[in-house]
Coordinates of all heavy atoms in Angstrom, one line a residue:
M6 N 7.7 -1.6 7.9 CA 7.1 -2.2 6.7 C 7.9 -3.2 6.0 O 9.0 -2.9 5.6 CB 6.8 -1.0 5.7 CG 6.1 -1.4 4.5 SD 4.3 -1.5 4.9 CE 3.9 -2.9 3.8
Q7 N 7.4 -4.4 6.0 CA 8.1 -5.5 5.3 C 8.2 -5.3 3.8 O 7.3 -4.9 3.2 CB 7.4 -6.9 5.6 CG 7.5 -7.2 7.0 CD 6.7 -8.5 7.3 OE1 5.8 -8.8 6.5 NE2 7.0 -9.2 8.4
A8 N 9.3 -5.6 3.2 CA 9.6 -5.5 1.8 C 10.6 -6.6 1.5 O 11.2 -7.2 2.3 CB 10.0 -4.1 1.4
S9 N 10.8 -6.7 0.1 CA 11.7 -7.7 -0.3 C 12.5 -7.1 -1.5 O 12.0 -6.3 -2.3 CB 11.0 -8.9 -0.9 OG 10.0 -9.4 0.0
T10 N 13.8 -7.5 -1.4 CA 14.7 -6.9 -2.5 C 15.3 -8.1 -3.3 O 15.5 -9.2 -2.7 CB 15.7 -5.9 -1.9 OG1 16.6 -5.5 -2.9 CG2 16.6 -6.8 -0.9
C11 N 15.7 -7.8 -4.5 CA 16.2 -8.7 -5.4 C 17.6 -8.2 -6.0 O 17.7 -7.0 -6.1 CB 15.3 -9.1 -6.6 SG 15.9 -10.2 -7.8
T12 N 18.4 -9.1 -6.4 CA 19.7 -8.7 -7.0 C 19.6 -8.0 -8.2 O 20.4 -7.3 -8.7 CB 20.6 -10.0 -7.2 OG1 19.9 -10.9 -7.8 CG2 21.1 -10.6 -5.8
C13 N 18.4 -8.1 -8.9 CA 18.2 -7.5 -10.2 C 17.8 -6.0 -10.0 O 17.6 -5.2 -11.0 CB 17.0 -8.1 -10.9 SG 15.4 -7.9 -10.4
G14 N 17.5 -5.6 -8.7 CA 17.3 -4.3 -8.5 C 15.8 -4.0 -8.0 O 15.4 -2.9 -7.6
K15 N 15.0 -5.0 -8.2 CA 13.5 -4.9 -7.9 C 13.3 -4.9 -6.4 O 13.9 -5.7 -5.7 CB 12.8 -6.1 -8.6 CG 11.3 -6.0 -8.5 CD 10.7 -5.2 -9.5 CE 9.2 -5.1 -9.4 NZ 8.6 -4.1 -10.3
I16 N 12.5 -3.9 -6.0 CA 12.1 -3.9 -4.6 C 10.5 -3.9 -4.6 O 9.9 -3.0 -5.2 CB 12.6 -2.6 -3.9 CG1 14.1 -2.6 -3.9 CG2 12.1 -2.6 -2.4 CD1 14.8 -1.5 -3.2
V17 N 9.9 -4.8 -3.7 CA 8.5 -4.9 -3.7 C 8.1 -4.9 -2.2 O 8.8 -5.2 -1.4 CB 7.9 -6.2 -4.4 CG1 8.2 -6.1 -5.8 CG2 8.5 -7.4 -3.8
A18 N 6.9 -4.4 -2.0 CA 6.4 -4.3 -0.6 C 6.0 -5.8 -0.2 O 5.7 -6.6 -1.1 CB 5.1 -3.5 -0.6
L19 N 6.0 -6.0 1.1 CA 5.7 -7.3 1.7 C 6.7 -8.3 1.4 O 7.7 -8.2 0.7 CB 4.4 -7.8 1.2 CG 3.2 -6.8 1.4 CD1 1.9 -7.4 0.9 CD2 3.0 -6.2 2.8
N20 N 6.6 -9.5 2.1 CA 7.5 -10.5 2.0 C 7.2 -11.4 0.8 O 6.1 -12.0 0.7 CB 7.5 -11.4 3.3 CG 8.4 -10.9 4.3 OD1 9.2 -10.0 4.1 ND2 8.2 -11.3 5.5
R21 N 8.0 -11.5 -0.2 CA 7.8 -12.2 -1.4 C 8.9 -13.2 -1.6 O 10.1 -12.8 -1.4 CB 7.8 -11.4 -2.6 CG 6.6 -10.5 -2.8 CD 5.5 -11.1 -3.6 NE 4.7 -10.2 -4.2 CZ 4.8 -9.9 -5.5 NH1 5.5 -10.4 -6.3 NH2 3.9 -9.0 -6.0
E22 N 8.6 -14.4 -1.8 CA 9.7 -15.5 -2.0 C 10.4 -15.2 -3.3 O 11.6 -15.3 -3.3 CB 9.0 -16.8 -2.0 CG 10.0 -17.9 -1.5 CD 9.2 -19.1 -1.0 OE1 8.3 -19.0 -0.2 OE2 9.6 -20.2 -1.5
L23 N 9.7 -15.0 -4.4 CA 10.3 -15.0 -5.7 C 10.1 -13.6 -6.3 O 9.0 -13.0 -6.1 CB 9.7 -16.0 -6.6 CG 10.0 -17.5 -6.2 CD1 9.3 -18.5 -7.1 CD2 11.5 -17.8 -6.1
C24 N 11.1 -13.1 -7.1 CA 11.0 -11.8 -7.6 C 10.1 -11.8 -8.8 O 10.0 -12.7 -9.6 CB 12.4 -11.4 -8.1 SG 12.5 -10.0 -9.1
P25 N 9.1 -10.9 -8.8 CA 8.1 -10.8 -9.9 C 8.8 -10.4 -11.2 O 8.2 -10.5 -12.3 CB 7.1 -9.7 -9.4 CG 7.9 -8.9 -8.4 CD 8.9 -9.8 -7.8
N26 N 10.0 -9.8 -11.1 CA 10.7 -9.3 -12.4 C 11.5 -10.4 -12.9 O 11.5 -10.6 -14.2 CB 11.6 -8.2 -11.9 CG 12.2 -7.5 -13.1 OD1 11.6 -7.3 -14.1 ND2 13.5 -7.1 -13.0
C27 N 12.3 -11.2 -12.2 CA 13.2 -12.1 -12.8 C 13.1 -13.5 -12.2 O 13.7 -14.5 -12.8 CB 14.6 -11.7 -12.6 SG 15.2 -11.8 -10.9
G28 N 12.2 -13.7 -11.1 CA 12.0 -15.1 -10.7 C 13.0 -15.7 -9.7 O 12.9 -16.8 -9.2
K29 N 14.1 -14.8 -9.3 CA 15.0 -15.3 -8.3 C 14.4 -15.1 -6.9 O 13.5 -14.5 -6.7 CB 16.3 -14.5 -8.4 CG 17.1 -14.8 -9.7 CD 18.5 -14.0 -9.6 CE 19.1 -13.9 -10.9 NZ 20.0 -12.7 -11.0
S30 N 15.2 -15.8 -5.9 CA 14.7 -15.6 -4.6 C 14.9 -14.2 -4.1 O 16.0 -13.6 -4.5 CB 15.5 -16.6 -3.6 OG 15.7 -17.8 -4.2
M31 N 14.1 -13.8 -3.2 CA 14.2 -12.4 -2.8 C 14.8 -12.3 -1.3 O 14.6 -13.4 -0.6 CB 12.9 -11.6 -2.8 CG 12.4 -11.6 -4.2 SD 11.1 -10.4 -4.5 CE 12.0 -8.9 -4.8
T32 N 15.3 -11.3 -0.9 CA 15.8 -11.0 0.4 C 14.8 -10.1 1.1 O 14.5 -9.0 0.6 CB 17.2 -10.5 0.4 OG1 18.0 -11.3 -0.4 CG2 17.7 -10.4 1.8
A33 N 14.4 -10.5 2.4 CA 13.5 -9.6 3.2 C 14.3 -8.4 3.7 O 15.4 -8.5 4.2 CB 12.9 -10.4 4.3
I34 N 13.6 -7.2 3.6 CA 14.2 -6.0 4.1 C 13.1 -5.2 4.9 O 12.0 -5.6 4.7 CB 14.8 -5.0 3.1 CG1 13.8 -4.7 2.0 CG2 16.1 -5.7 2.5 CD1 14.2 -3.6 1.1
E35 N 13.5 -4.3 5.7 CA 12.5 -3.4 6.4 C 12.6 -2.1 5.8 O 13.6 -1.5 5.7 CB 12.8 -3.4 7.9 CG 11.9 -2.9 8.7 CD 10.6 -3.8 8.9 OE1 10.7 -5.0 8.6 OE2 9.6 -3.2 9.4
L36 N 11.4 -1.5 5.4 CA 11.4 -0.1 5.0 C 10.6 0.6 6.0 O 9.8 0.1 6.7 CB 10.7 0.0 3.6 CG 11.4 -0.7 2.4 CD1 10.5 -0.6 1.1 CD2 12.8 -0.1 2.2
G37 N 10.7 2.0 5.9 CA 10.0 2.8 6.8 C 8.5 2.8 6.5 O 8.1 2.4 5.4
N38 N 7.6 3.4 7.4 CA 6.2 3.4 7.2 C 5.7 4.6 6.5 O 4.5 4.7 6.2 CB 5.5 3.2 8.5 CG 5.5 1.9 9.0 OD1 5.7 1.0 8.2 ND2 5.2 1.7 10.3
D39 N 6.7 5.5 6.1 CA 6.3 6.8 5.5 C 6.0 6.4 4.0 O 6.9 5.9 3.3 CB 7.3 7.8 5.6 CG 7.4 8.3 7.0 OD1 6.3 8.5 7.7 OD2 8.5 8.5 7.6
V40 N 4.8 6.9 3.5 CA 4.5 6.6 2.1 C 3.9 7.8 1.5 O 3.5 8.8 2.2 CB 3.6 5.4 2.0 CG1 4.2 4.2 2.5 CG2 2.2 5.7 2.6
V41 N 3.8 7.8 0.1 CA 3.0 8.9 -0.5 C 2.1 8.3 -1.6 O 2.4 7.3 -2.2 CB 4.1 9.9 -1.2 CG1 5.0 9.1 -2.2 CG2 3.3 11.1 -1.9
V42 N 0.9 8.9 -1.7 CA -0.1 8.4 -2.6 C 0.3 8.7 -4.1 O 0.5 9.8 -4.4 CB -1.5 9.0 -2.3 CG1 -2.6 8.6 -3.3 CG2 -1.9 8.6 -1.0
L43 N 0.3 7.6 -4.8 CA 0.6 7.7 -6.3 C -0.7 8.0 -7.0 O -0.8 8.8 -8.0 CB 1.3 6.5 -6.8 CG 2.7 6.3 -6.3 CD1 3.3 5.0 -7.0 CD2 3.7 7.4 -6.7
T44 N -1.7 7.2 -6.7 CA -3.0 7.3 -7.3 C -4.0 6.5 -6.5 O -3.7 5.9 -5.5 CB -3.0 6.7 -8.8 OG1 -4.2 7.0 -9.4 CG2 -2.8 5.2 -8.8
Y45 N -5.4 6.8 -6.7 CA -6.4 6.2 -5.9 C -7.6 5.9 -6.8 O -7.8 6.5 -7.9 CB -6.7 7.1 -4.8 CG -7.2 8.5 -5.1 CD1 -8.5 8.7 -5.4 CD2 -6.3 9.5 -5.3 CE1 -9.0 9.8 -5.8 CE2 -6.8 10.7 -5.7 CZ -8.1 10.9 -5.9 OH -8.5 12.1 -6.3
T46 N -8.5 5.1 -6.3 CA -9.8 4.9 -6.9 C -10.8 4.5 -5.9 O -10.4 4.1 -4.8 CB -9.6 3.8 -8.0 OG1 -10.9 3.7 -8.8 CG2 -9.4 2.4 -7.4
T47 N -12.0 4.7 -6.2 CA -13.1 4.4 -5.3 C -14.0 3.3 -6.0 O -14.4 3.5 -7.1 CB -14.0 5.6 -5.0 OG1 -13.1 6.6 -4.4 CG2 -15.0 5.3 -4.0
L48 N -14.2 2.3 -5.2 CA -15.0 1.2 -5.7 C -16.4 1.3 -5.1 O -16.6 1.2 -3.9 CB -14.4 -0.2 -5.3 CG -12.9 -0.5 -5.6 CD1 -12.5 -1.9 -5.2 CD2 -12.8 -0.4 -7.2
Y49 N -17.4 1.4 -6.0 CA -18.8 1.6 -5.6 C -19.5 0.2 -5.7 O -20.5 0.0 -5.1 CB -19.5 2.6 -6.3 CG -19.0 4.0 -6.0 CD1 -18.1 4.7 -7.0 CD2 -19.3 4.7 -4.9 CE1 -17.6 5.9 -6.7 CE2 -18.8 6.0 -4.6 CZ -17.9 6.5 -5.6 OH -17.4 7.8 -5.3
T50 N -18.9 -0.6 -6.6 CA -19.6 -2.0 -6.8 C -18.6 -2.9 -6.1 O -17.5 -3.1 -6.7 CB -19.8 -2.2 -8.3 OG1 -20.6 -1.1 -8.8 CG2 -20.6 -3.5 -8.4
V51 N -19.0 -3.7 -5.2 CA -18.0 -4.5 -4.5 C -18.7 -5.9 -4.3 O -19.9 -6.1 -4.4 CB -17.6 -4.0 -3.1 CG1 -16.9 -2.6 -3.3 CG2 -18.8 -3.8 -2.2
S52 N -17.8 -6.9 -4.0 CA -18.3 -8.2 -3.9 C -19.2 -8.4 -2.6 O -19.0 -7.6 -1.7 CB -17.1 -9.3 -3.8 OG -16.3 -9.1 -4.9
E53 N -19.9 -9.4 -2.5 CA -20.7 -9.7 -1.4 C -19.8 -9.9 -0.2 O -18.8 -10.5 -0.3 CB -21.5 -11.0 -1.6 CG -22.9 -11.0 -1.2 CD -23.6 -12.3 -1.4 OE1 -23.9 -12.4 -2.7 OE2 -23.8 -13.1 -0.6
G54 N -20.2 -9.3 0.9 CA -19.4 -9.4 2.1 C -18.5 -8.2 2.4 O -17.9 -8.1 3.4
F55 N -18.5 -7.3 1.4 CA -17.7 -6.0 1.5 C -18.7 -4.9 1.5 O -19.8 -5.0 0.9 CB -16.8 -5.9 0.3 CG -15.6 -6.9 0.4 CD1 -15.8 -8.1 -0.3 CD2 -14.4 -6.6 1.0 CE1 -14.8 -9.1 -0.3 CE2 -13.4 -7.5 1.0 CZ -13.6 -8.8 0.3
N56 N -18.3 -3.8 2.2 CA -19.2 -2.6 2.2 C -18.7 -1.6 1.3 O -17.6 -1.1 1.5 CB -19.2 -2.1 3.7 CG -19.9 -3.1 4.6 OD1 -20.9 -3.7 4.2 ND2 -19.3 -3.3 5.8
A57 N -19.5 -1.1 0.4 CA -19.1 0.0 -0.5 C -19.4 1.3 0.2 O -20.3 1.4 1.0 CB -19.9 -0.1 -1.8
P58 N -18.7 2.4 -0.2 CA -17.5 2.4 -1.1 C -16.3 1.9 -0.4 O -16.1 2.1 0.8 CB -17.4 3.8 -1.5 CG -17.9 4.6 -0.3 CD -19.0 3.7 0.4
I59 N -15.3 1.4 -1.2 CA -14.0 1.1 -0.8 C -13.0 2.0 -1.5 O -13.0 2.2 -2.6 CB -13.6 -0.4 -1.1 CG1 -14.5 -1.4 -0.3 CG2 -12.1 -0.7 -0.8 CD1 -14.3 -2.8 -0.6
F60 N -12.2 2.6 -0.6 CA -11.2 3.6 -1.2 C -9.9 2.8 -1.3 O -9.4 2.3 -0.3 CB -11.0 4.8 -0.2 CG -12.3 5.5 0.1 CD1 -12.7 5.6 1.4 CD2 -13.1 6.0 -0.9 CE1 -13.9 6.2 1.7 CE2 -14.3 6.5 -0.6 CZ -14.7 6.7 0.7
L61 N -9.4 2.7 -2.6 CA -8.1 2.0 -2.9 C -7.1 3.0 -3.2 O -7.3 3.9 -4.0 CB -8.3 1.0 -4.0 CG -8.9 -0.4 -3.7 CD1 -8.8 -1.2 -5.0 CD2 -8.1 -1.1 -2.6
V62 N -6.0 2.9 -2.6 CA -4.8 3.8 -2.9 C -3.6 2.9 -3.3 O -3.3 1.9 -2.7 CB -4.4 4.8 -1.8 CG1 -5.6 5.7 -1.5 CG2 -4.1 4.0 -0.5
L63 N -2.9 3.5 -4.3 CA -1.5 2.9 -4.6 C -0.5 3.9 -4.0 O -0.5 5.0 -4.3 CB -1.4 2.8 -6.1 CG 0.0 2.2 -6.6 CD1 0.1 0.7 -6.2 CD2 0.2 2.4 -8.0
V64 N 0.3 3.3 -3.0 CA 1.3 4.2 -2.4 C 2.7 3.8 -2.8 O 2.9 2.6 -3.1 CB 1.1 4.2 -0.9 CG1 -0.3 4.7 -0.5 CG2 1.4 2.8 -0.3
E65 N 3.6 4.7 -2.7 CA 5.0 4.5 -2.9 C 5.8 4.5 -1.6 O 5.5 5.5 -0.8 CB 5.6 5.4 -3.9 CG 7.0 5.1 -4.3 CD 7.6 5.9 -5.4 OE1 7.7 7.2 -5.2 OE2 7.9 5.4 -6.5
L66 N 6.4 3.5 -1.3 CA 7.3 3.4 -0.1 C 8.7 3.9 -0.4 O 9.0 4.3 -1.6 CB 7.4 2.0 0.5 CG 6.1 1.3 0.9 CD1 5.3 0.7 -0.1 CD2 6.5 0.2 1.9
E67 N 9.6 3.8 0.5 CA 11.0 4.1 0.3 C 11.5 3.2 -0.8 O 11.1 2.1 -1.0 CB 11.8 3.8 1.5 CG 11.5 4.7 2.8 CD 12.4 4.2 3.9 OE1 12.8 3.1 3.9 OE2 12.4 4.9 4.9
Q68 N 12.4 3.7 -1.5 CA 13.2 3.0 -2.6 C 12.3 2.6 -3.7 O 12.6 1.6 -4.5 CB 13.9 1.8 -2.0 CG 15.0 2.2 -1.0 CD 15.7 1.0 -0.4 OE1 16.2 0.2 -1.3 NE2 15.8 0.9 0.9
G69 N 11.1 3.3 -3.9 CA 10.3 3.0 -5.0 C 9.4 1.8 -5.0 O 8.7 1.5 -5.8
A70 N 9.3 1.1 -3.8 CA 8.4 -0.1 -3.6 C 7.0 0.4 -3.6 O 6.7 1.5 -3.1 CB 8.7 -0.8 -2.4
K71 N 6.1 -0.3 -4.2 CA 4.7 0.1 -4.2 C 3.8 -0.9 -3.5 O 4.0 -2.0 -3.5 CB 4.3 0.3 -5.7 CG 5.0 1.4 -6.4 CD 4.6 1.6 -7.8 CE 5.3 2.7 -8.6 NZ 6.7 2.3 -8.7
L72 N 2.7 -0.3 -3.1 CA 1.7 -1.2 -2.3 C 0.3 -0.6 -2.6 O 0.1 0.6 -2.6 CB 2.0 -1.1 -0.8 CG 1.0 -1.9 0.1 CD1 1.2 -3.4 -0.1 CD2 1.2 -1.5 1.5
L73 N -0.6 -1.6 -3.0 CA -2.0 -1.3 -3.1 C -2.7 -1.6 -1.8 O -2.6 -2.7 -1.3 CB -2.6 -2.1 -4.3 CG -4.0 -1.7 -4.7 CD1 -4.1 -0.4 -5.3 CD2 -4.5 -2.8 -5.7
C74 N -3.4 -0.7 -1.2 CA -4.0 -0.9 0.1 C -5.3 -0.1 0.1 O -5.5 0.8 -0.7 CB -3.0 -0.6 1.2 SG -2.5 1.1 1.3
E75 N -6.0 -0.3 1.2 CA -7.2 0.5 1.4 C -7.0 1.7 2.3 O -6.0 1.8 3.0 CB -8.3 -0.4 2.2 CG -9.1 -1.3 1.3 CD -10.2 -1.9 2.1 OE1 -10.9 -1.3 2.8 OE2 -10.3 -3.1 1.9
C76 N -7.9 2.6 2.1 CA -7.8 3.9 2.9 C -9.2 4.1 3.4 O -10.2 3.9 2.8 CB -7.5 4.9 1.9 SG -7.6 6.6 2.6
K77 N -9.3 4.4 4.7 CA -10.7 4.5 5.4 C -11.2 5.9 5.3 O -12.4 6.0 5.3 CB -10.5 4.2 6.9 CG -10.1 2.8 7.2 CD -10.1 2.5 8.6 CE -9.7 1.1 8.9 NZ -9.6 0.7 10.3
N78 N -10.4 6.9 5.1 CA -10.9 8.2 5.1 C -10.9 8.9 3.7 O -9.7 9.0 3.1 CB -10.0 9.0 6.1 CG -10.5 10.4 6.2 OD1 -11.4 10.9 5.5 ND2 -10.0 11.1 7.3
E79 N -12.0 9.2 3.1 CA -12.1 9.8 1.8 C -11.3 11.0 1.7 O -10.8 11.4 0.6 CB -13.6 10.1 1.6 CG -13.8 10.4 0.2 CD -15.3 10.5 -0.2 OE1 -16.2 10.4 0.8 OE2 -15.7 10.6 -1.4
N80 N -11.1 11.8 2.8 CA -10.3 13.0 2.8 C -8.8 12.8 2.5 O -8.1 13.7 2.1 CB -10.5 13.8 4.0 CG -11.9 14.3 4.3 OD1 -12.6 14.6 3.2 ND2 -12.3 14.3 5.5
D81 N -8.4 11.5 2.6 CA -7.0 11.2 2.4 C -6.7 10.9 0.9 O -5.6 10.6 0.5 CB -6.5 10.1 3.3 CG -6.4 10.4 4.7 OD1 -6.1 11.7 5.0 OD2 -6.4 9.6 5.6
L82 N -7.8 10.9 0.0 CA -7.6 10.4 -1.3 C -7.1 11.7 -2.1 O -7.9 12.6 -2.5 CB -9.0 10.0 -1.9 CG -9.5 8.8 -1.3 CD1 -10.9 8.4 -1.9 CD2 -8.6 7.6 -1.4
E83 N -5.8 11.8 -2.2 CA -5.2 12.9 -3.0 C -3.9 12.5 -3.5 O -3.1 12.0 -2.6 CB -5.1 14.1 -1.9 CG -4.6 15.3 -2.5 CD -4.4 16.4 -1.3 OE1 -5.1 16.3 -0.3 OE2 -3.5 17.2 -1.5
I84 N -3.6 12.7 -4.7 CA -2.3 12.3 -5.3 C -1.2 13.2 -4.6 O -1.4 14.4 -4.5 CB -2.3 12.5 -6.8 CG1 -3.2 11.4 -7.4 CG2 -0.9 12.4 -7.4 CD1 -3.5 11.5 -8.9
G85 N -0.2 12.6 -4.2 CA 0.9 13.3 -3.6 C 0.7 13.4 -2.0 O 1.6 13.9 -1.3
R86 N -0.4 12.9 -1.5 CA -0.7 13.0 0.0 C 0.3 12.0 0.7 O 0.5 10.9 0.3 CB -2.1 12.4 0.2 CG -2.6 12.5 1.6 CD -3.4 13.7 1.9 NE -4.1 13.6 3.1 CZ -3.6 14.0 4.4 NH1 -2.4 14.5 4.4 NH2 -4.4 13.8 5.5
K87 N 0.9 12.6 1.8 CA 1.8 11.9 2.6 C 1.1 11.2 3.8 O 0.2 11.8 4.3 CB 3.0 12.7 3.0 CG 3.8 13.2 1.8 CD 5.0 14.0 2.4 CE 5.9 14.3 1.1 NZ 6.5 15.6 1.2
G88 N 1.7 10.0 4.1 CA 1.0 9.4 5.2 C 1.8 8.2 5.7 O 2.9 8.0 5.3
K89 N 1.1 7.3 6.4 CA 1.8 6.1 6.9 C 0.9 4.8 6.5 O -0.4 5.0 6.3 CB 1.8 6.2 8.5 CG 2.8 7.3 8.9 CD 3.3 7.1 10.2 CE 4.1 8.2 10.7 NZ 5.1 8.7 9.7
I90 N 1.5 3.8 6.6 CA 0.8 2.5 6.5 C 0.6 1.9 8.0 O 1.5 1.8 8.7 CB 1.7 1.4 5.7 CG1 1.8 1.9 4.3 CG2 1.0 0.0 5.7 CD1 0.6 2.0 3.5
V91 N -0.7 1.5 8.2 CA -0.9 0.9 9.6 C -1.5 -0.5 9.2 O -2.1 -0.7 8.2 CB -1.9 1.8 10.4 CG1 -1.3 3.1 10.8 CG2 -3.3 1.9 9.6
V92 N -1.3 -1.3 10.2 CA -1.8 -2.7 10.0 C -2.9 -3.0 11.0 O -2.7 -2.8 12.2 CB -0.7 -3.8 10.2 CG1 -1.2 -5.2 10.0 CG2 0.6 -3.4 9.4
E93 N -4.0 -3.5 10.6 CA -5.2 -3.8 11.3 C -5.8 -5.2 10.9 O -6.1 -5.3 9.7 CB -6.2 -2.7 11.3 CG -6.2 -1.6 12.2 CD -7.3 -0.6 12.0 OE1 -8.4 -1.1 11.8 OE2 -7.0 0.6 12.0
N94 N -5.8 -6.0 11.7 CA -6.4 -7.4 11.4 C -5.7 -7.9 10.3 O -6.3 -8.5 9.3 CB -7.8 -7.3 11.1 CG -8.6 -6.8 12.4 OD1 -8.3 -7.2 13.5 ND2 -9.6 -6.0 12.2
E95 N -4.3 -7.8 10.2 CA -3.5 -8.4 9.2 C -3.8 -7.7 7.8 O -3.4 -8.2 6.7 CB -3.6 -9.9 9.1 CG -3.2 -10.5 10.4 CD -3.3 -12.0 10.3 OE1 -3.6 -12.6 9.3 OE2 -3.0 -12.6 11.3
K96 N -4.5 -6.6 7.8 CA -4.7 -5.9 6.5 C -4.0 -4.5 6.6 O -3.8 -4.0 7.6 CB -6.2 -5.6 6.3 CG -6.9 -6.7 5.7 CD -8.3 -6.4 5.4 CE -8.4 -5.4 4.2 NZ -9.8 -5.1 3.8
Y97 N -3.5 -4.0 5.4 CA -2.8 -2.7 5.4 C -3.7 -1.6 5.1 O -4.5 -1.7 4.1 CB -1.6 -2.9 4.4 CG -0.5 -3.9 4.8 CD1 -0.6 -5.2 4.5 CD2 0.5 -3.4 5.6 CE1 0.3 -6.1 4.9 CE2 1.5 -4.3 6.0 CZ 1.3 -5.6 5.7 OH 2.3 -6.6 6.1
Y98 N -3.6 -0.5 5.7 CA -4.4 0.6 5.5 C -3.4 1.9 5.4 O -2.5 2.0 6.1 CB -5.4 0.9 6.5 CG -6.4 -0.1 6.7 CD1 -6.3 -1.1 7.6 CD2 -7.5 -0.1 5.9 CE1 -7.3 -2.1 7.7 CE2 -8.6 -1.0 6.0 CZ -8.4 -2.1 6.9 OH -9.4 -3.0 7.0
F99 N -3.8 2.8 4.5 CA -3.1 4.0 4.4 C -3.8 5.0 5.3 O -5.1 5.2 5.2 CB -3.1 4.6 2.9 CG -2.7 6.0 2.8 CD1 -1.3 6.3 2.9 CD2 -3.6 7.1 2.6 CE1 -0.8 7.6 2.7 CE2 -3.1 8.3 2.5 CZ -1.8 8.6 2.5
V100 N -3.1 5.8 6.1 CA -3.6 6.9 6.9 C -2.8 8.2 6.6 O -1.6 8.2 6.7 CB -3.5 6.6 8.4 CG1 -4.0 7.7 9.2 CG2 -4.2 5.3 8.8
G101 N -3.5 9.2 6.1 CA -2.9 10.5 5.8 C -2.3 11.1 7.1 O -2.9 11.0 8.1
N102 N -1.2 11.8 6.9 CA -0.6 12.6 8.0 C -1.6 13.8 8.4 O -2.3 14.2 7.5 CB 0.7 13.2 7.6 CG 1.8 12.1 7.6 OD1 1.7 11.0 8.1 ND2 2.8 12.3 6.8
M103 N -1.5 14.3 9.5 CA -2.2 15.5 9.9 C -1.8 16.7 9.0 O -0.7 16.8 8.7 CB -1.9 15.9 11.3 CG -2.3 14.9 12.3 SD -4.1 15.1 12.6 CE -4.2 15.0 14.3
K104 N -2.8 17.4 8.5 CA -2.4 18.5 7.6 C -2.2 19.7 8.5 O -2.8 19.9 9.5 CB -3.6 18.8 6.8 CG -3.7 17.8 5.6 CD -4.6 18.2 4.5 CE -4.6 17.2 3.4 NZ -5.5 17.5 2.3
Ligands
ZN2 ZN1 14.7 -9.9 -9.5

């Protein structure tokens, strides 16, 4: 899982050029794919071209980095649920671990 780190201590998911906290250049790092669900929401009203419902989860990666991504399985919507991030068609999805 790509992430970026800054000398100010901020770590964010994905490759970011500039730190959202202090504006300095960030350094690319690699974090593990293991994540845990912090919170989630279900969107029933979506823009044209999208199929409702969309399950959105905010997950925490290693070192406290956070990522907002979609989840395909409603059964994975649970705070504290552990799982992995998978990439499909350049989009990130949360997939819960086997229970
Ligand atoms: Zn910074």
